[in-house]
Amino acid sequence: MRKDNYTSDDEEQNEKSFSLVADFEGNEEQLFDIEIEWDGDLPILPLRSLILYPGVFLPITIGRKSSLKIINEAEKKRNFIAVFCQKEAKKEQPLKEDLYPVGVIAKVVKVLLMPDHTTTAILQGFKRIELLELTQLQPYLKGNVRLLNDDVPPENDKEFAALIESCRDLSIRYIKASERIHKDSIFAVKNIHSPIFLVNFICTNLPLKIEEKAELINMELRDRTSRLLDILNREVQLLELKTSIQMRAREEIDQQQREYFLQQQIKNIQEELGGSSQSQEIEEMREKGEHMSWPIEIAKTFEKELTKLDRTHPQSPDYSIQLNYLQTLLGLPWGVFTKDNLNLVQAEKKLNKDHYGLEKVKERILEHLAVLKLKNDMKSPIICLYGPPGVGKTSLGRSIASALKRKYIRMSLGGVHDEAEIRGHRKTYIGAMPGRIIKSLIKAGSSNPVFILDEIDKLGSDHKGDPSSALLEVLDPEQNNTFHDNFLDVDYDLSKVMFIATANNLNTIPAPLLDRMELIEISGYITEEKVEIAHRHLVPKTLEANGLKKTEIKIPKSTLEAIVESYSRESGVRELEKKIGKILRKSARQYATNGFLEKSEIKPADLYDFLGVPEYSRDKYQGNDYAGVVTGLAWTAVGGEILFVETSLSRGKGDKLTLTGNLGDVMKESAMLALEYIKAHASVLNLNEDIFSNWNIHIHVPEGAIPKDGPSAGITMATSLASALTQRRVKANLAMTGEITLRGKVLPVGGIKEKILAAKRAGIKEIILSAENKKNIEEIEALYLKGLTFHYVNEIKEVFAIALTGEKAADAIDLTAKRPVKTSNDI
């Protein structure tokens, strides 16, 4: 009998302790032939996470009062007790279903009071028993049990003997490889001669799951030995695999240490020979830093970080991060500025040469140059150009940089949703890099470039941060002189950078960001402007792209206008450029195939051969023969349009107003406003009020597939209703636009320039506008107003006076005629 660390616990088995086992020479059956008798039901001692096997001594710590009562009584009376293991250790008062069905019958050998005032009992197991039922729950458990016999194989059973020796060998291998079991336990395993004792001893002390131990005690001896051998094989393999992994890891660490010592030796040899490549690189950076025009604070930071690099081992991961940081600092254009072109006349010529129109933008750039020329130093403006696609917002930035003779940078923000794209990553992260602002300045090599923030309205945001919030610092003139990039971790001055943002839609830009920019609208080009842009820029550019010369083929302005009117409908000129390119590509093919061009000048009539059937058509004025038909003016994203408002009357109760033509809510409200005003002021038009009770009204705006909305058709609908109800024709070649109120006031509307040009193209001669829109007319060039007469009004009454003639319409109907009354003969 051998004793090691005989401490156990009622809560959890101590994996480093071995239990005691009784061993003796002779027939082991004599030990199990001890007379075991008891009267009635046996007291049941439930154990937590422990299973006692026959022949084994096991120390346990008593925790429950009921368990302490069983132990004390059993020791005094020398009675047997039944010992079973709980399925769940946390269960305080287990029932039959909470206990494993097979346990052992045992005796209490000794009860010890420990120095920490806990009670420890030493139990000895005798035979396996099966729990049949519980007969008592208080003050402790009692139950009816049945003895189970273990058939011990005979001594001449060689197979069983081989199983026993295999278990002994594997358990010794396990103890040697394990750090969880004391190595002195090998002595106990080697010196146990009884097979049944050896198997039970290993089953008790092997650190297995409690479910597997319960499975083992439930088996006959031979089956238990065979199953134990399987478990020992598995555990030994796992333990040896773990040991192998640990050894490989230790070898790798040894190899790293060896490499480190070798590197140190190489470093010492290089120093003896005149310095290492690392030292040379550091000295080169230090020398370059001495010639940099950076602030004193930056110079101190650079020297500090350079010293840190010198102390860092080249094989360390931090070395490359530190080196990248210092190279970034040295790569920035600290104090490097290009000289601005302050010749205003020359700058204006350059802007006019590159772009036609866009007067507001050009004027703002020239104002900046003028102030810079007078003051010699000022913060650059932060401009946002917004408007529809294809109007030249992005290309204008390059033109501005060329006019100012500054470096040009373009950064597309479409789809950017990571704040680090703007501010960079902290250099502590692997793969850290500066933000795109800093990287672009390094690429430009100047601290005052023209910086285009393209598509700023298409910034995204997600869990990685909001880039638009990071741009608040970049685009604020009061903050961007100390822009803080996370990678640099020092301030950089962006106040001399001219930021120009471009956007299609201001609604998606956060209000704080919008507030920091100077907004300049670039509206869509009108037909005349598109023709001029195509003549000056697009045709020469496309000729060069297709290998043709100006002398070989010509596209006159009349042809360009026909392309704009019939083959493209857009705000900008991208589609127009594609159509011109298609014409010239077909011409290039003719030239390459035949050696000559069939047509050296493309006329409007030739467009069908090059571009096919016209894709679009402009509305034309349709005359004033019918009552209730009035020409209105509308603004669209691709320019101005004329539209027709038609009103018809049908006999009825007068309680129905029908609106058709795919009208929006605002336009429907305008129609209802116009009708209510006419009803309230019927006397102004000399209308009989019975008309409203006998005639239903239907208002329609043609091209029903196209959605229409907005308040600018208010006076057009009112005039159409007035014309239909009075059956008077509207003045010829007249169009109008303006919003109305319930009181009959005419309010101003937008898009005047586009609407005027649309009216002129459609053959309109006179236009009615709100008096407040007169200022918009004065901003339009006189060339576009030639041949037009404008009537400025304040009230709808003035509109009626100008628009309605005294002539009856060709299809006039008598609205005063009584509705015929049905007689009995008609029924």
Side-chain angles (χ1 to χ4, degrees):
M1 184 166 60
R2 180 179 176 86
K3 179 177 178 182
D4 277 319
N5 297 321
Y6 299 117
T7 57
S8 183
D9 193 89
D10 194 24
E11 300 292 335
E12 182 178 0
Q13 180 178 359
N14 187 334
E15 292 176 346
K16 288 194 175 181
S17 66
F18 253 62
S19 304
L20 299 91
V21 63
D23 190 22
F24 64 98
E25 299 293 337
N27 187 2
E28 64 272 3
E29 292 181 1
Q30 294 176 4
L31 178 66
F32 296 102
D33 285 342
I34 296 172
E35 288 293 330
I36 298 176
E37 296 179 356
W38 66 88
D39 294 329
D41 300 327
L42 277 177
I44 294 177
L45 177 66
L47 299 182
R48 291 186 173 107
S49 304
L50 286 172
I51 291 182
L52 179 62
Y53 284 79
V56 176
F57 287 84
L58 183 68
I60 62 169
T61 300
I62 307 301
R64 284 178 281 214
K65 291 182 179 179
S66 58
S67 299
L68 187 60
K69 190 173 182 65
I70 293 174
I71 293 297
N72 288 332
E73 288 184 4
E75 184 192 25
K76 288 178 183 178
K77 298 178 181 180
R78 308 296 295 170
N79 289 337
F80 288 102
I81 61 172
V83 180
F84 292 91
C85 180
Q86 294 180 202
K87 294 178 181 177
E88 293 184 15
K90 295 181 180 179
K91 195 81 171 180
E92 282 296 326
Q93 295 181 343
L95 301 176
K96 182 187 176 186
E97 58 269 18
D98 301 317
L99 300 174
Y100 285 106
V102 177
V104 294
I105 190 164
K107 271 193 175 183
V108 179
V109 177
K110 194 170 185 62
V111 178
L112 304 171
L113 184 63
M114 306 305 290
D116 59 353
H117 303 291
T118 59
T119 302
T120 297
I122 298 176
L123 306 179
Q124 180 186 7
F126 286 95
K127 286 193 176 183
R128 294 188 305 133
I129 55 175
E130 181 184 4
L131 177 62
L132 300 177
E133 61 177 342
L134 290 180
T135 58
Q136 175 183 306
L137 299 179
Q138 295 296 335
Y140 49 77
L141 298 180
K142 271 191 174 184
N144 186 11
V145 299
R146 178 173 67 88
L147 280 172
L148 299 174
N149 292 319
D150 276 328
D151 293 330
V152 180
E155 291 183 3
N156 59 357
D157 190 334
K158 294 182 179 180
E159 181 183 352
F160 181 69
L163 283 174
I164 292 295
E165 289 307 313
S166 297
C167 288
R168 190 192 306 273
D169 293 341
L170 284 173
S171 62
I172 291 172
R173 281 175 61 187
Y174 182 85
I175 294 170
K176 287 180 178 179
S178 175
E179 297 177 356
R180 302 160 67 183
I181 301 177
H182 203 284
K183 298 297 182 286
D184 290 349
S185 303
I186 296 173
F187 181 81
V189 174
K190 286 182 176 179
N191 288 280
I192 297 175
H193 304 293
S194 170
I196 187 169
F197 288 155
L198 179 64
V199 171
N200 290 346
F201 180 74
I202 297 172
C203 289
T204 302
N205 294 287
L206 198 67
L208 303 177
K209 293 180 180 178
I210 199 66
E211 292 83 4
E212 286 185 325
K213 289 193 175 187
E215 178 190 357
L216 288 169
I217 200 173
N218 203 31
M219 295 178 176
E220 293 284 344
L221 181 59
R222 181 183 289 275
D223 294 337
R224 189 187 317 157
T225 307
S226 179
R227 175 64 180 143
L228 177 62
L229 184 63
D230 293 339
I231 294 173
L232 280 170
N233 269 310
R234 181 196 70 197
E235 293 296 321
V236 168
Q237 287 176 14
L238 288 175
L239 199 57
E240 289 178 347
L241 180 60
K242 178 183 174 183
T243 305
S244 174
I245 292 170
Q246 290 174 343
M247 287 297 295
R248 284 202 301 269
R250 189 175 294 112
E251 288 172 1
E252 288 175 4
I253 293 171
D254 293 341
Q255 179 67 18
Q256 288 176 2
Q257 290 176 342
R258 180 173 175 274
E259 289 175 357
Y260 173 77
F261 289 127
L262 288 174
Q263 289 292 342
Q264 287 296 112
Q265 290 176 0
I266 292 171
K267 183 179 179 182
N268 294 335
I269 293 169
Q270 287 176 338
E271 287 176 356
E272 290 292 330
L273 294 174
S276 64
S277 58
Q278 175 195 358
S279 301
Q280 292 173 0
E281 189 175 24
I282 290 173
E283 285 305 315
E284 287 174 4
M285 287 193 289
R286 181 173 280 113
E287 185 179 348
K288 189 175 179 181
E290 290 173 357
H291 295 89
M292 296 292 291
S293 301
W294 46 26
I296 298 174
E297 295 81 7
I298 306 300
K300 290 180 180 178
T301 301
F302 174 76
E303 187 60 35
K304 176 184 174 184
E305 298 295 331
L306 193 63
T307 305
K308 188 186 294 184
L309 178 70
D310 196 16
R311 293 198 303 264
T312 306
H313 191 272
Q315 300 300 318
S316 170
D318 293 335
Y319 184 84
S320 59
I321 296 173
Q322 193 71 8
L323 181 63
N324 183 30
Y325 174 75
L326 290 168
Q327 289 174 341
T328 303
L329 271 182
L330 289 170
L332 277 168
W334 300 93
V336 178
F337 301 96
T338 54
K339 188 176 180 181
D340 288 332
N341 173 27
L342 300 179
N343 188 327
L344 299 181
V345 177
Q346 187 179 351
E348 186 174 9
K349 284 182 179 178
K350 178 64 178 173
L351 290 172
N352 288 333
K353 178 184 175 183
D354 292 346
H355 287 79
Y356 181 81
L358 307 177
E359 301 302 331
K360 289 184 180 179
V361 188
K362 295 176 183 176
E363 186 179 351
R364 180 64 184 89
I365 299 303
L366 294 173
E367 286 172 0
H368 169 69
L369 278 179
V371 176
L372 193 61
K373 185 175 182 179
L374 296 174
K375 192 182 176 185
N376 293 327
D377 182 32
M378 70 170 292
K379 292 181 178 179
S380 291
I382 296 171
I383 298 170
C384 179
L385 309 177
Y386 70 96
V391 295
K393 300 183 295 296
T394 305
S395 62
L396 184 61
R398 186 182 292 276
S399 180
I400 292 170
S402 178
L404 297 176
K405 291 189 176 178
R406 289 191 179 190
K407 296 293 182 67
Y408 171 78
I409 299 172
R410 175 185 165 273
M411 184 171 81
S412 177
L413 297 175
V416 173
H417 54 83
D418 188 354
E419 182 189 353
E421 292 280 336
I422 309 298
R423 282 207 179 110
H425 306 81
R426 299 192 182 280
K427 64 177 180 178
T428 51
Y429 295 117
I430 295 174
M433 61 180 68
R436 293 173 67 182
I437 301 283
I438 294 298
K439 285 198 289 187
S440 298
L441 289 174
I442 293 173
K443 186 177 179 181
S446 167
S447 290
N448 65 335
V450 174
F451 204 123
I452 304 298
L453 299 171
D454 210 9
E455 310 291 358
I456 197 171
D457 57 326
K458 296 173 181 63
L459 279 170
S461 63
D462 60 10
H463 64 282
K464 296 180 181 178
D466 186 358
S468 61
S469 299
L471 281 175
L472 293 177
E473 181 185 7
V474 176
L475 300 181
D476 191 340
E478 301 301 322
Q479 298 181 43
N480 65 7
N481 60 337
T482 57
F483 171 67
H484 189 87
D485 184 275
N486 291 328
F487 182 79
L488 289 182
D489 205 24
V490 293
D491 294 336
Y492 192 85
D493 186 3
L494 298 178
S495 61
K496 300 296 187 296
V497 179
M498 179 181 283
F499 287 103
I500 300 177
T502 69
N504 299 128
N505 183 8
L506 296 182
N507 295 329
T508 58
I509 303 177
L513 186 58
L514 206 60
D515 183 57
R516 283 164 166 76
M517 299 185 290
E518 185 177 339
L519 302 178
I520 299 178
E521 181 182 7
I522 300 181
S523 58
Y525 295 117
I526 57 178
T527 299
E528 289 77 5
E529 290 174 333
K530 289 182 181 179
V531 170
E532 199 63 39
I533 291 169
H535 179 69
R536 294 187 185 187
H537 303 287
L538 301 184
V539 172
K541 176 184 173 183
T542 315
L543 278 169
E544 184 180 353
N546 289 282
L548 297 172
K549 298 178 181 177
K550 295 181 181 178
T551 55
E552 293 172 339
I553 188 168
K554 293 181 181 179
I555 304 179
K557 288 187 177 181
S558 58
T559 305
L560 294 172
E561 184 176 355
I563 297 173
V564 172
E565 294 287 342
S566 303
Y567 293 94
S568 69
R569 179 165 291 185
E570 57 177 342
S571 303
V573 291
R574 285 195 181 125
E575 187 66 25
L576 175 59
E577 184 177 6
K578 292 175 186 175
K579 298 299 182 185
I580 294 171
K582 188 174 182 180
I583 293 171
L584 294 180
R585 283 195 302 275
K586 289 193 174 183
S587 300
R589 181 183 176 185
Q590 290 177 4
Y591 190 83
T593 304
N594 304 325
F596 63 91
L597 290 172
E598 297 177 4
K599 296 175 182 178
S600 58
E601 181 176 340
I602 309 298
K603 297 179 180 179
D606 300 325
L607 291 178
Y608 179 83
D609 298 330
F610 287 95
L611 301 177
V613 179
E615 299 173 16
Y616 307 100
S617 61
R618 294 285 182 180
D619 291 324
K620 299 296 182 183
Y621 178 68
Q622 297 179 357
N624 66 334
D625 296 333
Y626 301 96
V629 180
V630 182
T631 305
L633 300 174
W635 177 91
T636 68
V638 296
E641 295 282 351
I642 65 169
L643 57 80
F644 303 99
V645 178
E646 303 171 348
T647 301
S648 66
L649 304 176
S650 60
R651 285 195 175 276
K653 297 180 180 180
D655 58 349
K656 189 175 181 182
L657 172 62
T658 303
L659 301 171
T660 56
N662 203 349
L663 308 183
D665 291 339
V666 177
M667 211 165 180
K668 290 177 181 178
E669 290 171 0
S670 295
M672 289 186 280
L673 272 174
L675 180 59
E676 292 302 320
Y677 175 82
I678 291 175
K679 284 182 179 180
H681 300 82
S683 58
V684 175
L685 297 171
N686 297 320
L687 292 175
N688 187 340
E689 293 186 2
D690 292 339
I691 292 176
F692 301 109
S693 302
N694 297 317
W695 297 87
N696 290 334
I697 299 172
H698 185 166
I699 298 177
H700 177 68
V701 182
E703 296 189 51
I706 301 174
K708 310 168 192 72
D709 204 3
S712 63
I715 64 172
T716 312
M717 288 184 164
T719 305
S720 177
L721 284 167
S723 172
L725 292 169
T726 60
Q727 290 296 295
R728 292 159 62 184
R729 291 194 296 180
V730 177
K731 194 174 184 180
N733 300 312
L734 174 74
M736 59 189 71
T737 182
E739 183 180 355
I740 62 168
T741 69
L742 199 56
R743 296 176 296 155
K745 296 289 184 183
V746 179
L747 302 181
V749 292
I752 296 299
K753 181 180 178 181
E754 289 82 359
K755 291 176 179 179
I756 298 305
L757 292 165
K760 189 176 180 181
R761 285 195 299 268
I764 300 297
K765 304 297 182 185
E766 298 180 53
I767 298 175
I768 300 176
L769 297 169
S770 169
E772 295 184 38
N773 280 127
K774 187 174 182 180
K775 61 181 181 294
N776 302 108
I777 300 298
E778 293 171 353
E779 293 179 354
I780 302 174
E781 295 181 32
L783 173 66
Y784 301 137
L785 305 178
K786 188 176 180 181
L788 294 174
T789 302
F790 296 95
H791 303 281
Y792 302 106
V793 298
N794 290 303
E795 296 187 1
I796 192 67
K797 295 176 185 178
E798 300 174 51
V799 178
F800 294 158
I802 297 167
L804 298 177
T805 66
E807 303 174 11
K808 288 288 184 180
D811 61 341
I813 57 177
D814 185 7
L815 300 179
T816 59
K818 298 289 186 180
R819 180 188 296 179
V821 180
K822 291 183 179 180
T823 64
S824 58
N825 294 330
D826 298 324
I827 300 175

